[in-house]
Amino acid sequence: MAEIDYQTQHKKRLSWMPWLYFSLKPKHLQWAKPWQDDIQQQLRLLETIHIGEQCFIAPQAQLFAEPGRDITIGDKCMISADVFMHGPITLGNEVAINHGCSLDGGRHGIHIGHQTRIANNVTVYAFNHGMSPDTPIYQQAATSKGVIIGEDVWIGAQAGIVDGVTIGHHAVIGMGSIVTKNVADYAIVAGNPARVIGDRRDK
């Protein structure tokens, strides 16, 4: 197979499984790092985005950050293909956002702590619509409280997190959960609406 074909396929693989980027051999980094540098520099030029050291951002990810709605990405973060992010959003160091996730910071933002892992197709929305029956929903003012996700949190695939929620450090959110209330440190929650089913310290 031609070298250029191999690289094209390998870039696709990295975009959907970006943890592989961090274990690339030096011969692969010779083309992969300049590729990433170009993607990240383009984002910095086009959007109000701050990107830390040694990050991976898939070219298929869609990141939007106007002035005042910044996206700040810590060191060694990875953002997979088909992720949508609209600031304000702040990621700590070593945060992973897997494919198909959708995050919108509303007015008050989404803050995600160090070493948190977010599985595929998770939705986090830091805003809500008014629901008065006298006016169509699309004409009502949006509200925003913000979402805070702590450090070393694992959020399972297809979970949803609503505005105003704080998730404590070291918590686990089960696959498919809908989180409507705050989650304590170390709590394991699951269900719709999510409820406590365990504690990581017991594992």
PDB file of all heavy atoms in Angstrom, residues 112 130 187:
ATOM      1  N   ILE A 112     -14.586  21.340  33.204  1.00  0.00           N
ATOM      2  CA  ILE A 112     -14.283  19.913  33.350  1.00  0.00           C
ATOM      3  C   ILE A 112     -12.900  19.770  33.955  1.00  0.00           C
ATOM      4  O   ILE A 112     -11.922  20.314  33.439  1.00  0.00           O
ATOM      5  CB  ILE A 112     -14.358  19.199  31.986  1.00  0.00           C
ATOM      6  CG1 ILE A 112     -15.763  19.374  31.373  1.00  0.00           C
ATOM      7  CG2 ILE A 112     -14.022  17.709  32.138  1.00  0.00           C
ATOM      8  CD1 ILE A 112     -15.907  18.808  29.976  1.00  0.00           C
ATOM      9  N   GLY A 130     -37.037  28.750  28.595  1.00  0.00           N
ATOM     10  CA  GLY A 130     -38.253  28.968  29.349  1.00  0.00           C
ATOM     11  C   GLY A 130     -39.371  28.082  28.822  1.00  0.00           C
ATOM     12  O   GLY A 130     -39.349  27.667  27.661  1.00  0.00           O
ATOM     13  N   ALA A 187     -19.340   9.172  44.045  1.00  0.00           N
ATOM     14  CA  ALA A 187     -20.617   8.487  43.828  1.00  0.00           C
ATOM     15  C   ALA A 187     -20.659   7.818  42.459  1.00  0.00           C
ATOM     16  O   ALA A 187     -20.108   8.329  41.473  1.00  0.00           O
ATOM     17  CB  ALA A 187     -21.771   9.467  43.963  1.00  0.00           C
TER      18      ALA A 187
END
